[in-house]
Amino acid sequence: MIYRDRVDAGKQLAKRLTDFADRDDVLVLALPRGGVPVAYEVAKALQAPMDIFLVRKLGVPGHEELAMGAISTGGVRVLNDDIVSYLKIPGDVIDAVAARELKELERREREYRGDRPEPNVQGKTIILVDDGLATGSTMRAAAAALRRQNPARIVVAVPVSAPQTCDEYRMGVDEIICASTPEPFHGVGQWYRDFSQTSDDEVRELLKKAQAFHLTEAEGRELTHA
């Protein structure tokens, strides 16, 4: 399956998530930036609230594409112990990279969230959404960080994934839904006609729309049951 763009991907993915529709315990969390347009369409279809869960990869110095860990919303740090041990990466190097990435994470929190509080995930079924999975390192870090906040369940949902990555055990989650697992995979962007970068402005706008939509839906349900 080749998606037209992230909006199309979100609509197609939502068709695989109908069991989670119209439930009070469901919260959709997007990994910015590319996961936000996908998650917006999912949240709209499920009539569920949506927010973001920020993760920053901690790249190995000189080989930044290789993740030695990640930091996430709430200041949680998750390390890839195998990589750290194998490469004998000193603690002060990890701390320096983490400090730099924390600044960017905090900047994005301010950019995207503003004065809104972080969502309460405790006891909720969390649908964690991105635009695709290659190695899955960022999503694994997000799931590990999220687990510390005691959600009831974590469900990873993506439009496309490398076949070997689409595994709930390897990802450390309760369930994983990959709408497409093409082989050979090559990369996430190969499966989108339009894979242009999502801007900060788009993220802010979609979060505002999601909040307004959910409030409208919630008010409608209250009137129906009044």
Side-chain angles (χ1 to χ4, degrees), residues 93-187:
V93 171
I94 297 172
D95 290 343
V97 174
R100 184 175 68 245
E101 294 299 339
L102 182 61
K103 286 182 180 177
E104 176 60 15
L105 188 146
E106 289 173 341
R107 182 196 73 80
R108 290 193 180 196
E109 284 278 10
R110 289 191 300 271
E111 283 276 339
Y112 302 155
R113 194 182 301 284
D115 296 329
R116 289 188 301 111
E118 292 176 16
N120 178 19
V121 306
Q122 188 169 356
K124 298 282 182 69
T125 293
I126 304 300
I127 302 179
L128 203 51
V129 177
D130 204 354
D131 53 15
L133 297 176
T135 65
S137 59
T138 302
M139 184 64 84
R140 272 195 299 273
L146 196 57
R147 185 73 71 187
R148 299 184 189 188
Q149 298 183 32
N150 300 314
R153 283 174 62 78
I154 299 175
V155 179
V156 164
V158 293
V160 63
S161 171
Q164 66 273 20
T165 307
C166 191
D167 183 324
E168 69 269 17
Y169 179 77
R170 288 183 63 237
M171 296 299 294
V173 297
D174 300 292
E175 186 177 355
I176 184 164
I177 296 169
C178 305
S180 178
T181 53
E183 183 69 67
F185 177 69
H186 297 304

Side-chain angles (χ1 to χ4, degrees), residues 217-226:
E217 287 293 320
E219 288 166 0
R221 285 196 293 271
E222 284 179 11
L223 287 172
T224 301
H225 293 110

Side-chain angles (χ1 to χ4, degrees), residues 57-60 63-70 80 83-84 137-138:
K57 180 173 71 175
L58 303 179
V60 174
H63 302 278
E64 279 72 17
E65 74 286 351
L66 180 60
M68 61 180 175
N80 185 335
I83 294 291
V84 171
S137 59
T138 302

Side-chain angles (χ1 to χ4, degrees), residues 12-72:
Q12 298 303 322
L13 180 60
K15 295 175 183 178
R16 302 285 299 274
L17 296 164
T18 53
D19 286 349
F20 300 99
D22 301 311
R23 284 174 41 176
D24 293 335
D25 66 323
V26 169
L27 171 63
V28 177
L29 291 180
L31 268 57
R33 288 180 291 209
V36 175
V38 182
Y40 175 76
E41 296 301 328
V42 168
K44 189 165 66 170
L46 302 184
Q47 297 190 354
M50 171 196 155
D51 212 309
I52 53 171
F53 194 80
L54 279 166
V55 179
R56 293 292 295 174
K57 180 173 71 175
L58 303 179
V60 174
H63 302 278
E64 279 72 17
E65 74 286 351
L66 180 60
M68 61 180 175
I71 55 172
S72 73

